[in-house]
Amino acid sequence: MDMSQYLDLFIDESKEHLQAINERLLELEKTPEDMSVVNDIFRSAHTLKGMSATMGFEDLANLTHQMENVLDGIRNRRLSVTPELLDVIFEAVDHLEAMISSIAAGGDGTRDVRRTVEQLKRIEQGEMPNKQAAREEPPLEHAYGEFEYHVLEQAKEQGFSVYEIRVRLRDDCLLKAARVYMVFEQLNEVGEIVKATPPVEMLEEEQFDREFLVTVVSKAPADELQKRLMGISEIDDVKVSRLSSDEPSAESEKAAAPQQPAAMEQAAAVQAEAEAPEKQTVKQATKTIRVNIERLDRLMNLFEELVVDRGRLEQISRELNHAELTETVERMSRISSDLQTIILNMRMVPVETVFNRFPRMVRQLARELGKKVRLDIIGADTELDRTVIDEIGDPLVHLIRNALDHGIEAPDVRAARGKPEEGTVQLRAYHSGNHVFIEIEDDGAGISREKVLQKAKSRGIVSPQAAEHLNDQQIYELIFAPGFSTAEKVSDISGRGVGLDVVKSTIESLGGTVSVDSQPGKGSLFSIQLPLTLSIISVLLVQIAEETYAIPLSSIIETALVKKEEIFSAHNQPVIDFRGKIVPLVRLKDVFAVPGAADDGDAVAVVIVRKGEKLAALAVDSFIGQQEVVLKSLGNYLSSVFAISGATILGDGRVALIIDCNALVK
């Protein structure tokens, strides 16, 4: 019987069961005597074992079977639930997740899990693990699936060398994910990365100890690769070993075993599927169906083309002034607006898909730090566009790690300050207008105003004179400066501020903003504001000489006409008085060097835009009107153009550049 047709369903359902196991294990730790929770975990594990055996993934089935035996011991009260026992079960779940990821990427799901199986067997026999045993890091293994093996073989035939590169980071490395990114950047300049161990997702989430393996095909010599990688700071050691064409690695030989042609086609198909963004989990109900995310992306692209043509039709009907045509176009506009709402809603995904991984992460970090922390999640059913969801995970990981490491105090310190020993981190999400707000609040030590100011002065981020005039809010915002940290002792988990510049730039690249507020001794609150969707946005079209630009409505406060005599100068910068506030005037014709732009007349048309608490007035020649447009990327070659976030095609076929207001507000 050909099982390949059920593979997608198997992968989706396995991920759902593993997520359920993760969530219920965290509940079990809080209520060890609740047998209904154990039964739920047992049922999910049993279903996963049955599905794995049916699909022929024996390693997966065997590990799940051994985990099931331990759960059965807990259920029958032969074994008691301890944090150390749960550490081993969580480790088994990590292996299961890695196996499922391997299968989804076209591999065979094999993995060296002997140590974990041995630990589970010892637990089943009544031998309880100690803390050290539960925390040992498994050795890195780098087995190739059939698809990867064929890629490597083809590369060798075309004259490329295949290298396995083992990279070890320093013990005190702060931003492990950033170092991984730099390693990948360097390798991509001289070759192609075929595989990484642990997988890229785990590397990005810093779910590895100090070492990782990368397989690269390149025509560059091994010593050049070594030299490039050793040039990256905070890298301790790099070992480059070449896989010769006549001596493939043991793992490769294993993968090269003859298999059915159908399996090869299946591997290629699954690989293509895996390259698409991961499918979001949809809860099964009687009236829901699973839809491949690629189909939704295609539907969105087709609708974006329709929006462009709709704009063109509206313009033609205005020019011709034909009653029946105008009526038909207006009706089509209404229908397409409804269709747009439906399509955008179809692409909406609950932030729960991102939030789900944090309870487990908080538990692990709290144990490593010797702290007691409770994570409260509110509003997990709040929905965001999938494109935003894909990007928001890493910034939230940074902020939560910071809250645990340098926000929440140790239990004895909290007790001395009259606080409960268990600290609380609250993760909230809610809608407001066309935006979603995500807030991370902790009841820890807060941010020290004096320490931030002192560090900012010593780093030259702010001058002593300017520091005198900063309010509390502005001082707290300084922690988002690149490389800024107030941590007295640098840890491998975070430093309050380390990586926060990355958080800020990521969120701003999504058209969002991030702000911080803090009360010393009481805690800190980080607030992230994000747009609901990134693909179709409402803009104000403006004219500068012969050129048309689009300003996103989400950034605009209002438009105004300013008389020439109302424009003043401060620090050699033109400013205007806007409702009692001094707002800098930015002449877009100068910023974009627009040819043939006329001098200011008696009055200047301005658009007041906001970024957080800061304002700017953008001077334009005239306003054209409001329109919904499709946001298109400028591509890799033009990605670094100052103050331009993308482009759109107008109704008459012309291209209008979309202004990035965040870059213009200083």
Side-chain angles (χ1 to χ4, degrees), residues 6 43 90 105 116 163-164 177 214 255 274 306 310 366 422 433 470 504 633 658:
Y6 303 114
R43 273 195 296 273
F90 273 127
T116 307
Y163 299 103
E164 274 191 351
V214 189
L306 195 61
R310 180 181 73 186
E422 185 180 58
L470 295 177
K504 189 172 189 182
S633 164
I658 296 170

Side-chain angles (χ1 to χ4, degrees), residues 17 38 116 176 199 208 273 298 318 419 493 507 548 615:
H17 284 300
V38 182
T116 307
K176 295 199 289 187
F208 66 103
E273 182 85 7
R298 190 150 173 253
R318 280 196 301 271
K419 293 182 174 182
I493 293 170
I507 288 165
T548 304
L615 305 177

Side-chain angles (χ1 to χ4, degrees), residues 285-588:
T286 49
K287 293 185 180 178
T288 61
I289 57 167
R290 293 178 189 271
V291 179
N292 190 317
I293 201 70
E294 286 180 344
R295 292 186 183 178
L296 287 183
D297 285 342
R298 190 150 173 253
L299 180 63
M300 193 67 190
N301 288 335
L302 289 171
F303 184 74
E304 286 170 357
E305 297 298 327
L306 195 61
V307 170
V308 173
D309 290 336
R310 180 181 73 186
R312 178 76 177 126
L313 277 173
E314 286 171 347
Q315 186 171 346
I316 291 169
S317 75
R318 280 196 301 271
E319 288 169 0
L320 293 179
N321 199 18
H322 188 284
E324 286 186 15
L325 176 62
T326 305
E327 187 184 327
T328 307
V329 168
E330 283 176 356
R331 178 172 164 72
M332 194 196 86
S333 295
R334 282 198 302 275
I335 292 169
S336 60
S337 291
D338 291 344
L339 184 60
Q340 176 181 325
T341 305
I342 291 168
I343 293 173
L344 291 178
N345 285 339
M346 283 168 64
R347 291 173 56 84
M348 290 298 199
V349 178
V351 290
E352 182 181 20
T353 54
V354 178
F355 287 5
N356 274 344
R357 59 174 145 154
F358 296 138
R360 169 79 191 280
M361 186 184 91
V362 166
R363 173 198 182 269
Q364 192 176 341
L365 288 179
R367 278 175 64 73
E368 285 176 21
L369 294 163
K371 296 178 180 179
K372 295 179 181 176
V373 185
R374 185 178 84 247
L375 177 68
D376 291 340
I377 294 178
I378 299 166
D381 55 350
T382 306
E383 293 187 327
L384 258 173
D385 190 278
R386 190 189 62 81
T387 28
V388 184
I389 286 277
D390 288 346
E391 300 292 331
I392 195 60
D394 288 347
L396 291 179
V397 168
H398 269 298
L399 294 175
I400 291 174
R401 288 166 81 97
N402 274 318
L404 260 73
D405 196 16
H406 292 290
I408 303 289
E409 312 96 326
D412 54 339
V413 177
R414 290 179 66 86
R417 291 177 180 172
K419 293 182 174 182
E421 284 193 353
E422 185 180 58
T424 303
V425 175
Q426 202 172 73
L427 184 59
R428 295 189 293 267
Y430 58 90
H431 280 133
S432 177
N434 279 332
H435 290 88
V436 168
F437 286 83
I438 298 176
E439 295 178 344
I440 295 137
E441 186 171 17
D442 65 70
D443 65 349
I447 302 170
S448 167
R449 184 184 188 278
E450 288 71 28
K451 199 183 285 186
V452 169
L453 209 50
Q454 185 185 342
K455 185 69 76 171
K457 287 179 189 172
S458 68
R459 291 278 174 94
I461 293 167
V462 65
S463 66
Q465 296 81 14
E468 300 294 324
H469 305 292
L470 295 177
N471 60 31
D472 287 0
Q473 187 67 39
Q474 290 167 325
I475 289 169
Y476 296 142
E477 294 284 339
L478 294 173
I479 67 172
F480 290 109
F484 185 92
S485 176
T486 60
E488 291 167 14
K489 184 182 79 173
V490 170
S491 72
D492 65 339
I493 293 170
S494 74
R496 171 69 86 176
V498 169
L500 288 186
D501 59 318
V502 179
V503 169
K504 189 172 189 182
S505 59
T506 303
I507 288 165
E508 287 182 353
S509 72
L510 294 170
T513 58
V514 58
S515 60
V516 58
D517 195 13
S518 183
Q519 288 182 292
K522 292 188 178 177
S524 306
L525 169 67
F526 286 84
S527 183
I528 299 169
Q529 177 183 334
L530 292 162
L532 275 176
T533 181
L534 295 179
S535 44
I536 295 176
I537 58 171
S538 294
V539 296
L540 174 68
L541 295 176
V542 297
Q543 190 82 26
I544 306 169
E546 297 299 313
E547 296 181 7
T548 304
Y549 290 85
I551 303 173
L553 282 187
S554 57
S555 298
I556 298 174
I557 298 176
E558 65 178 85
T559 57
L561 282 173
V562 179
K563 292 178 183 173
K564 203 167 186 179
E565 56 267 24
E566 292 175 346
I567 300 173
F568 310 103
S569 182
H571 303 292
N572 296 323
Q573 160 81 41
V575 295
I576 62 168
D577 182 356
F578 173 71
R579 305 194 189 286
K581 282 188 178 180
I582 300 299
V583 176
L585 181 71
V586 181
R587 290 187 169 92
L588 293 182

